[in-house]
């Protein structure tokens, strides 16, 4: 089976989500990559060094600069003439593009897979991670998105892929990119961080969130996350949100501060290796999944904890 | 322009789903069902566009069992003008997959010629996040997924999207397909008089065969299981004990 993997990149580096996707794709067979973008040659060179990679298809055209699904999907469909599966990380780009590709190929997509059981059988979470379904695809070609935290990352060095340019399928003229507001952060990226400190509604406001959560995160070298309640209340931007509708994370250590543990939040973090909960309500559902719990007032506990580590 | 809003009847988001002991699926008998939360946001957005004078008519459509009528009545009570139910059999194994739903919606859109089709970004039961994108592909229309802001400007629509690193804005030609993210709006509650009025609004019933669409599933569910449970944790008495634990794990210096 020949797979085509979508390379998630920012025109400078290959994103970690791609590496986990390569691991998943390698369980299906030969791994080819697709680097689409504008001026993405350096990314293609990096991609070719990922362990286990064969051909790297590079589509360098202004039409692909911002990964608009309307322009990228026809390119993928073209390449699927000689691939058996299109595999993308379940990032916002992957989730935007892959179903468009699937429908154009008249196949059902398998979303957010957790494991590859065989060439046509996969497991995936449903009902906010409360039920794990094993599904078999009857389609001749597969379109799959991969949950990054469920697979080991492929090594970034050691591969010797061959870079090959592919012709542009052009700008379809349906959509155009206007601009982006990307949140700036010096801290590790949420989805690949080893330690995450997350805050909830109990933090009261944005200022308190910053004063309590950020110093603790920095002491631990952690990324900062948040519950939906904290995002909706405007304490932090939406890209901090962990949960069914936000980011899915599985760090070594997840510290939940002032988060009750609604099922939508748990869906995003319950595969973390160790969960630590700090909450004043000893009956909060978060304590049912926490490995280590501390019941008490976070306004006292968090500064003390930051001080002592 | 007309707005078409697909809605899905799903398990209520507050209910903790129980996996059936025989591993065939999730037990939905006697479980509270509701309109998918993202679809509620889609209905609300369509109503706001109508209140601004941008949308002229709102058509709600659902693919599902007879009981999905209740979901459509909810949309009508919120402010949709009329509804279409594409009825499918009830019970496990008869759910229509996103590809089948997208094919049906494509037929409805060909009939209705809506300027905007507004869907939720994902249904909270299958968590697929596919139908909107598939519909856009089948119709050859642009897609504005994970929308947190929608502004119609003449024959274009500007959509601010929630992406991994923050927000991005795209401009789409219309007709366009939009999928809603949670922060697009705060859906209104249907008032009692509006719930009463919704009962007399038109609701047309169809079947997949009326549209000549084959909705046979492409994915076979072999098994549904509970996720691996987490072993019971411990409670520590104070910060010092927590610090000791963190140090033992090697995450604190």
């Amino acid at each position: 089976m020949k797979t085509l993997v979508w390379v998630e990149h920012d025109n400078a580096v290959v994103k970690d989500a791609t590496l986990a996707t390569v691991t998943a794709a390698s369980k299906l067979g030969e791994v080819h990559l697709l680097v689409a973008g504008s001026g993405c040659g350096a990314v293609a060179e990096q991609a070719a060094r990922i362990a286990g990679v064969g051909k790297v298809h590079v589509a360098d055209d202004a039409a692909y600069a911002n990964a608009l699904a309307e322009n990228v999907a026809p390119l993928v469909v073209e390449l699927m003439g000689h691939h058996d599966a299109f595999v993308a990380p379940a990032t916002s780009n992957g989730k935007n593009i892959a179903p468009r590709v699937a429908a154009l190929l008249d196949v059902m997509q398998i979303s957010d897979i957790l494991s590859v059981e065989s060439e046509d059988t996969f497991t995936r979470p449903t009902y906010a991670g409360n039920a794990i379904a094993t599904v078999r695809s009857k389609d001749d070609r597969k379109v799959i998105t991969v949950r990054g935290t469920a697979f080991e990352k492929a090594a970034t060095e050691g591969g010797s892929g061959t870079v090959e340019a592919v012709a542009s399928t052009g700008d379809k003229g349906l959509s155009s990119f206007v601009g982006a507001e990307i949140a700036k952060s010096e801290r590790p990226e949420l989805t690949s961080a080893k330690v995450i400190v997350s805050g909830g509604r109990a933090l009261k406001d944005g200022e308190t969130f910053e004063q309590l959560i950020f110093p603790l995160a920095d002491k631990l070298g952690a990324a900062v996350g948040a519950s939906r309640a904290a995002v909706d209340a405007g304490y932090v931007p939406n890209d901090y949100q962990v949960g069914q509708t936000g980011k899915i994370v599985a760090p070594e250590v997840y510290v939940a501060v002032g988060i009750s543990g609604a099922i939508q939040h748990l869906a995003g973090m319950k595969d973390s290796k160790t969960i630590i909960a700090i909450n004043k309500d000893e009956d909060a559902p978060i304590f049912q999944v926490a490995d280590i719990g501390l019941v008490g007032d976070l306004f006292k506990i968090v500064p003390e904890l930051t001080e002592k580590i | 322009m007309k707005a078409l809003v697909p809605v899905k009847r799903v398990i209520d988001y507050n209910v903790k789903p129980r996996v059936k002991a025989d591993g065939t699926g999730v037990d939905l008998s006697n479980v509270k069902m509701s309109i998918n939360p993202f679809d509620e946001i889609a209905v609300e957005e369509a109503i706001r566009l109508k209140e601004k004078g941008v949308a002229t008519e709102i058509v709600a459509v659902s693919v599902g069992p007879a009981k999905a009528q209740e979901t459509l009545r909810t949309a009508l009570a919120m402010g949709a003008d009329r509804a279409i139910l594409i009825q499918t059999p009830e019970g496990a194994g008869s759910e229509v997959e996103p590809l089948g739903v997208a094919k049906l919606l494509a037929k409805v859109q060909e009939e209705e010629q809506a300027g905007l089709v507004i869907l939720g970004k994902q249904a909270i039961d299958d968590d697929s996040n596919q139908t909107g994108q598939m519909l856009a592909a089948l119709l050859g229309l642009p897609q504005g997924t994970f929308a947190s802001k929608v502004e119609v400007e003449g024959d274009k629509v500007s959509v601010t999207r929630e992406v991994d690193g923050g927000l991005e804005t795209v401009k789409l030609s219309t007709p366009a397909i939009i999928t809603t993210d949670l922060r697009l709006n705060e859906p209104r509650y249907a008032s009692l008089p509006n719930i009463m009025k919704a009962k007399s609004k038109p609701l047309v019933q169809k079947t997949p065969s009326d549209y000549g669409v084959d909705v046979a599933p492409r994915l076979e569910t072999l098994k549904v299981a509970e996720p691996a449970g987490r072993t019971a944790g411990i409670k520590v008495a104070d910060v010092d004990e927590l610090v000791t634990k963190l140090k033992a794990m090697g995450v604190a210096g």
Side-chain angles (χ1 to χ4, degrees):
Chain A
M1 208 172 180
K2 248 197 248 174
T3 66
L4 181 67
V5 170
W6 170 258
V7 174
E8 183 79 30
H9 67 88
D10 58 3
N11 240 11
V13 292
V14 173
K15 297 276 186 173
D16 279 354
T18 311
L19 303 172
T21 307
V22 165
T23 303
S26 66
K27 293 176 192 287
L28 292 169
E30 203 179 320
V31 180
H32 293 186
L33 303 183
L34 169 59
V35 178
S38 179
C40 55
V43 175
E45 294 301 327
Q46 261 181 56
R49 292 197 297 271
I50 298 172
V53 162
K55 208 173 279 179
V56 179
H57 301 278
V58 186
D60 200 329
D61 189 280
Y64 306 131
N66 297 292
L68 293 170
E70 296 80 1
N71 294 342
V72 169
L75 170 73
V76 178
V77 168
E78 185 91 9
L79 288 164
M80 283 301 283
H82 45 94
H83 288 90
D84 307 298
F86 177 61
V87 189
T91 53
S92 43
N93 279 333
K95 290 191 271 195
N96 190 38
I97 293 163
R100 193 166 177 113
V101 170
L104 292 173
L105 296 172
D106 192 29
V107 306
M108 242 313 276
Q109 175 181 297
I110 307 129
S111 294
D112 218 12
I113 62 162
L114 300 173
S115 73
V116 175
E117 302 295 307
S118 74
E119 270 194 6
D120 61 1
T121 306
F122 310 89
T123 63
R124 59 173 307 264
T126 58
Y127 292 87
N130 285 292
I132 309 299
T134 306
V135 295
R136 178 156 64 205
S137 164
K138 297 183 226 172
D139 287 313
D140 54 346
R141 281 173 296 180
K142 315 283 182 254
V143 174
I144 296 163
T145 61
V146 173
R147 176 166 292 192
T149 55
F151 295 86
E152 294 290 319
K153 294 186 190 88
T156 52
E157 295 293 336
S160 52
T162 52
V163 176
E164 195 175 288
V166 292
S168 172
T169 47
D171 190 331
K172 301 297 164 194
L174 292 168
S175 56
S176 58
F177 180 80
V178 178
E181 278 175 58
I182 300 303
K184 292 259 179 294
S185 176
E186 300 290 308
R187 296 187 184 86
E189 208 184 344
L190 198 49
T191 48
S192 56
K194 284 204 160 37
V195 182
I196 294 173
V197 179
S198 259
R201 195 203 308 266
L203 271 306
K204 283 210 171 89
D205 54 40
E207 207 176 311
T208 318
F209 194 104
E210 268 186 42
Q211 282 167 4
L212 290 176
I213 300 295
F214 288 11
L216 176 59
D218 291 342
K219 268 263 178 96
L220 293 169
V224 174
S227 69
R228 183 182 167 198
V231 171
D232 281 352
Y235 303 173
V236 288
N238 63 282
D239 50 299
Y240 282 64
Q241 188 184 323
V242 172
Q244 185 182 21
T245 57
K247 294 197 172 78
I248 312 287
V249 299
E252 298 278 318
V253 179
Y254 187 91
V255 187
V257 180
I259 292 176
S260 64
I263 59 173
Q264 291 80 6
H265 186 75
L266 300 184
M269 46 64 82
K270 68 184 168 149
D271 293 324
S272 305
K273 205 159 170 209
T274 302
I275 297 171
I276 298 172
I278 299 169
N279 204 302
K280 71 168 188 244
D281 174 11
E282 63 180 314
D283 296 322
I286 191 78
F287 287 118
Q288 290 162 23
V289 299
D291 300 281
I292 303 171
L294 178 52
V295 178
D297 181 3
L298 67 92
F299 296 97
K300 286 202 188 91
I301 290 171
V302 176
E304 191 187 341
L305 181 61
T306 308
E307 170 86 37
K308 286 182 174 168
I309 51 177
Chain B
M1 63 168 63
K2 199 188 278 185
L4 183 65
V5 187
V7 294
K8 185 176 186 184
R9 176 178 181 263
V10 297
I11 188 168
D12 188 87
Y13 74 99
N14 282 313
V15 175
K16 177 151 170 58
R18 302 264 168 228
V19 173
K20 286 193 225 168
D22 64 1
T24 55
V26 165
D27 192 357
L28 294 177
S29 52
N30 304 315
V31 167
K32 186 182 178 207
M33 304 291 278
S34 300
I35 182 170
N36 180 43
F38 292 101
D39 303 347
E40 209 172 6
I41 295 169
V43 175
E44 175 65 34
E45 195 63 19
I47 298 166
R48 291 187 187 189
L49 288 171
K50 193 175 171 189
E51 286 168 348
K52 278 189 233 165
V54 175
T56 48
E57 190 189 23
I58 302 167
V59 183
V61 54
S62 191
V63 178
K67 282 182 187 151
Q69 277 190 48
E70 294 161 16
T71 309
L72 287 169
R73 292 287 172 205
T74 305
L76 292 169
M78 285 175 72
D81 296 294
R82 61 188 169 88
I84 302 165
L85 172 64
I86 305 174
Q87 201 180 321
T88 57
E90 187 152 18
S94 57
E95 296 91 1
V96 180
E97 291 169 344
L99 182 63
V101 173
K103 286 179 179 179
L104 289 166
L105 294 176
K107 296 284 184 190
V108 174
Q109 166 63 3
E110 278 163 14
E111 274 178 19
E112 298 286 346
Q113 295 289 316
L116 290 177
V117 185
I118 311 176
L119 306 88
K121 80 164 177 183
Q122 78 192 60
I124 61 163
D125 51 2
D126 65 13
D127 283 332
S128 289
N129 194 333
Q130 300 175 9
T131 307
Q133 295 89 316
M134 287 182 156
L135 176 63
L138 296 173
L139 294 168
L141 295 178
Q143 63 191 52
T145 52
F146 326 141
S148 62
K149 194 174 171 195
V150 174
E151 277 174 304
V152 177
E153 300 152 0
D155 62 350
K156 302 267 184 198
V157 57
S158 164
V159 180
T160 300
R161 306 178 54 230
E162 299 208 359
V163 295
D164 288 337
L167 299 171
E168 75 167 42
T169 304
V170 291
K171 194 167 271 195
L172 314 175
S173 58
T174 51
I177 312 299
I178 289 166
T179 75
T180 64
D181 216 318
L182 279 173
R183 268 162 293 277
L184 181 59
N185 60 49
E186 188 82 38
R188 70 194 63 193
Y189 291 103
S191 65
L192 189 58
N194 285 342
I195 293 169
M196 298 312 287
K197 266 185 235 161
K199 290 186 176 162
S200 55
K201 287 185 179 176
L203 191 158
V204 178
Q205 300 212 31
K206 301 270 193 179
T207 65
S209 57
D210 292 338
Y211 295 99
V213 172
D214 175 12
V215 293
R218 306 289 187 85
L219 300 181
E220 184 187 357
T221 301
L222 303 178
K223 190 176 75 179
V224 177
E226 294 259 4
R230 295 188 68 97
T231 47
I234 53 149
K235 287 223 172 94
V236 292
D238 54 28
V239 169
D240 290 323
E241 207 182 323
L242 180 54
V243 171
T244 311
K245 293 274 178 199
L246 285 170
K247 283 184 178 163
M249 287 189 288
V251 292

